[in-house]
Amino acid sequence: MTVQPERVRAGAARSALTPYLRLLTVTQFAFNVGFYAVLPYLAAHLGDGLGMAGWLVGLVLGLRTFSQQGLFVVGGALTDRYGPRPVVLAGCVLRIAGFCWLALAGSTATVIGAVVLIGFAAALFSPAVESETARAAVAHEAGTGTPRAQVLAVFSAAGQAGAFLGPLLGTLLLFLGGGFTAACLAGALVFIGVLAGHARLMPHRPRTTTREPGRGRFPREVFANRPFLVLCLAYSTYLLSYNQLYLALPVEVERVTGSQSAIGGLFALSSLLVVGAQLPLTRWSAHRIAPRTALVAGLAVVSAGFAAVPLVPGGPAGLFPAATFVVLLTLGQMLLIPAARGLVPDLVDDPRLGLATGALSSVSGLAVLVGSAATGTLLGTPGPVLWTALAAVPLAGAALALALPRGGLARAPEGTGTD
């Protein structure tokens, strides 16, 4: 009986994150702290501080999103070609320059230049860090038996913790009278720390000097890989669903309360759920169900969140349906994101992992751009029609995910549950 605790301690030691994985996880946390110290206040700064018209504020925010999500594939391809270290360092330098520029920008042209630079910095930085995390998680799984989804869940939870703390930092700076400029400079300071840490600790990886036939043909490499394309399309339905936090949810909250003041609390609820429940939930799912099953289940839970809105009683404040939607969307997200990211290394060759990681975001971002216009036209329809139509989107994604091959995917350690 005295041997069991020793086995537990030994297992815990084997499953502990390596120093490199800890670096990548802290990176994701710091990245979101710096980013979200600025982003929530950008629209107000452009409209109230600089006097931009509403359509121009929307255009600037759209350009930032496009320069980030749309160009992820560029950062992924550069990561495969030159290794993650120079791409991450370049992304940090550009993000620092972008925040400093935005702090001083006073005209439309300079603001657009700054936000595009900030977005492109993320298009370099994020695919490099995410693909390295996936690669390191696979190696950690092979060496310790710890499911890769469990490692990727730590990465996701760290990002959500940063997304929760970043706005608090920005609010504190605004409260202290520093204004938007202080928030931008604080974000730049965070990235100076990230840059210094990676310059010192991130290892070099030999750059690719040979080119395989067909390499560099992004459309062919993505669309000729049918399982990976299926994953992109299934993941796109999640991103389109997540985007309803910014489209359909504010409409619902204003309908039941007369204002959108409760939106901040619902977003905080989502972040706190991820910080508190991501690791236990992923630890449970990684040892009991296969990644494809987790992906399908996560999309089904997201679908249930939409379907619940017209069915759940409003309650005293009328916010129970919206809160139910946020909780189920967040739970589904916690199931499917580590699973989806963990599947990418099984569907593409390792030398193209960066490209695939970037393509997953870029293809999904394009689908969201098209799909958001379509879903936006539904906002004026009756509630049951709107939420039923939205529920069909992730449900279709779950059906798509069932088409992923059963073999060759990441599995939980022997003796645990399977698909």
Side-chain angles (χ1 to χ4, degrees):
M1 297 296 293
T2 58
V3 178
Q4 185 64 24
E6 295 177 1
R7 288 180 178 175
V8 172
R9 286 193 296 270
R14 287 196 303 271
S15 63
L17 296 184
T18 63
Y20 189 38
L21 278 169
R22 287 198 295 271
L23 171 66
L24 295 170
T25 301
V26 171
T27 294
Q28 182 70 356
F29 169 77
F31 178 90
N32 278 357
V33 168
F35 182 66
Y36 285 100
V38 176
L39 183 65
Y41 312 101
L42 178 58
H45 171 69
L46 298 179
D48 299 335
L50 300 182
M52 288 187 178
W55 69 268
L56 187 55
V57 173
L59 175 63
V60 171
L61 295 179
L63 286 172
R64 188 211 63 79
T65 300
F66 174 78
S67 64
Q68 178 173 325
Q69 291 291 127
L71 298 178
F72 260 44
V73 66
V74 175
L78 290 173
T79 300
D80 289 335
R81 183 71 179 89
Y82 299 104
R85 178 184 166 89
V87 179
V88 167
L89 296 183
C92 289
V93 170
L94 292 182
R95 178 56 66 89
I96 294 166
F99 276 155
C100 291
W101 189 4
L102 185 60
L104 302 174
S107 67
T108 300
T110 55
V111 166
I112 288 176
V115 299
V116 168
L117 187 61
I118 288 170
F120 183 60
L124 294 179
F125 183 96
S126 292
V129 171
E130 290 175 10
S131 61
E132 276 301 283
T133 303
R135 183 178 284 112
V138 170
H140 191 62
E141 180 182 60
T144 67
T146 302
R148 69 187 71 172
Q150 190 169 318
V151 174
L152 294 170
V154 177
F155 183 80
S156 294
Q160 284 295 328
F164 179 72
L165 293 176
L168 297 181
L169 172 61
T171 300
L172 176 63
L173 292 171
L174 293 175
F175 178 77
L176 294 176
F180 184 75
T181 297
C184 287
L185 295 179
L189 187 62
V190 170
F191 277 92
I192 290 173
V194 174
L195 174 64
H198 282 74
R200 178 176 177 82
L201 300 175
M202 195 168 200
H204 292 272
R205 202 175 75 201
R207 61 178 286 180
T208 303
T209 56
T210 60
R211 292 179 60 86
E212 298 173 2
R215 175 171 287 187
R217 302 175 191 169
F218 162 64
R220 179 178 177 182
E221 291 183 353
V222 171
F223 293 111
N225 185 337
R226 186 169 297 176
F228 179 69
L229 178 59
V230 168
L231 178 63
C232 286
L233 293 176
Y235 191 71
S236 296
T237 65
Y238 154 69
L239 283 183
L240 181 57
S241 299
Y242 184 82
N243 199 50
Q244 301 313 310
L245 287 174
Y246 308 100
L247 286 176
L249 181 63
V251 172
E252 171 66 14
V253 170
E254 186 162 5
R255 183 186 69 81
V256 298
T257 67
S259 74
Q260 296 186 10
S261 58
I263 290 291
L266 292 173
F267 273 76
L269 171 63
S270 177
S271 293
L272 288 174
L273 274 174
V274 175
V275 172
Q278 178 73 79
L279 298 184
L281 179 62
T282 305
R283 189 178 297 116
W284 173 86
S285 66
H287 285 88
R288 286 168 175 78
I289 57 177
R292 186 184 75 169
T293 305
L295 178 59
V296 171
L299 288 167
V301 171
V302 171
S303 179
F306 287 107
V309 174
L311 300 176
V312 173
L319 287 172
F320 283 179
T324 301
F325 163 67
V326 169
V327 169
L328 290 177
L329 176 68
T330 304
L331 289 175
Q333 166 190 315
M334 289 190 287
L335 273 172
L336 70 90
I337 288 183
R341 289 178 176 171
L343 288 173
V344 174
D346 290 318
L347 300 178
V348 298
D349 295 331
D350 183 82
R352 308 310 285 159
L353 185 57
L355 175 64
T357 301
L360 182 66
S361 292
S362 291
V363 172
S364 300
L366 179 61
V368 169
L369 181 64
V370 175
S372 293
T375 57
T377 62
L378 296 172
L379 295 180
T381 60
V385 175
L386 168 65
W387 294 101
T388 300
L390 292 175
V393 174
L395 196 60
L400 275 173
L402 287 172
L404 288 169
R406 295 175 65 92
L409 298 183
R411 296 284 177 178
E414 187 175 352
T416 62
T418 58
D419 195 351

